[in-house]
């Protein structure tokens, strides 16, 4: 069933010139790129985007990091997009992510974990409204 999801190459991924590699993985997997843009999160946008985490001890660090540089956001479409994209990005803690996943191949960080992707239809709808408004 065709479904849409959103991913964001975080500031560490952009600074390390990983945008092409990452977008390419999703294209080669068979997803269609529906929307794509580079921008920098403002603090209010980041606080809204990550509002589900606003009571967590790492919230301040998370907002500070995601606003620290340019990001690339994409809406992609294809079968089972939300769950398949989560499999492709790997575990949140990059040092635990399975090799072959994006975090598993490219990183070691937690806050700086290269890529974000929506974890549910509800998250996608909320996140796409913040990023592509
Ligand atoms: P992301 O998929 O963007 O969703 C929330 C982010 O919080 C997560 O990736 C991590 O970058 C960040 N984060 C920072 N510290 C933690 C932590 N201790 N546990 C989970 N996520 C964390």
């Amino acid at each position: 069933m065709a479904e849409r999801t959103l991913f964001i190459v975080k500031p560490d991924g952009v600074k390390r010139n990983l945008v092409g590699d990452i977008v390419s993985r999703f294209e080669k997997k068979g997803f269609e790129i529906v929307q794509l843009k580079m921008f920098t999160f403002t603090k209010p946008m980041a606080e809204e985007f990550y509002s589900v985490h606003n009571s967590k001890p790492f919230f301040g660090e998370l907002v500070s990091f995601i606003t620290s540089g340019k990001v690339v956001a994409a809406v992609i479409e294809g079968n089972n997009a939300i769950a398949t994209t989560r499999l492709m990005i790997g575990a949140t803690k990059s040092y635990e992510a399975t090799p072959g996943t994006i975090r598993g191949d490219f990183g070691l960080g937690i806050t700086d974990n290269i890529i974000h992707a929506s974890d549910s239809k509800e998250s996608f709808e909320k996140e796409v409204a913040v990023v592509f408004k």
Side-chain angles (χ1 to χ4, degrees):
M1 181 198 66
E3 182 178 70
R4 288 186 176 189
T5 193
L6 172 124
F7 71 78
I8 294 183
V9 183
K10 297 187 182 185
D12 55 331
V14 174
K15 286 191 183 108
R16 290 177 54 204
N17 298 321
L18 294 173
V19 172
D21 281 346
I22 291 171
V23 171
S24 178
R25 285 189 182 214
F26 290 98
E27 291 183 312
K28 287 176 181 163
K29 181 70 177 166
F31 288 113
E32 179 190 346
I33 311 289
V34 178
Q35 296 194 81
L36 186 69
K37 80 167 178 181
M38 177 174 268
F39 70 101
T40 304
F41 271 95
T42 63
K43 193 163 182 246
M45 271 175 84
E47 286 172 347
E48 174 63 12
F49 186 85
Y50 277 131
S51 61
V52 66
H53 297 298
N54 65 14
S55 61
K56 310 262 174 69
F58 57 83
F59 185 65
E61 188 185 339
L62 182 55
V63 169
S64 162
F65 179 69
I66 202 72
T67 57
S68 69
K70 289 182 285 188
V71 301
V72 170
V75 174
I76 59 173
E77 183 175 305
N79 280 345
N80 203 39
I82 294 170
T84 301
T85 295
R86 296 287 294 183
L87 280 177
M88 289 173 68
I89 73 172
T92 301
K93 296 175 180 172
S94 302
Y95 54 85
E96 291 180 349
T98 308
T101 66
I102 291 166
R103 290 168 175 160
D105 285 351
F106 296 134
L108 287 170
I110 301 179
T111 304
D112 52 338
N113 63 355
I114 304 167
I115 184 166
H116 167 88
S118 307
D119 64 4
S120 65
K121 190 168 186 295
E122 294 67 37
S123 300
F124 165 68
E125 281 164 4
K126 180 235 177 101
E127 292 170 5
V128 83
V130 174
V131 170
F132 287 98
K133 61 171 176 262

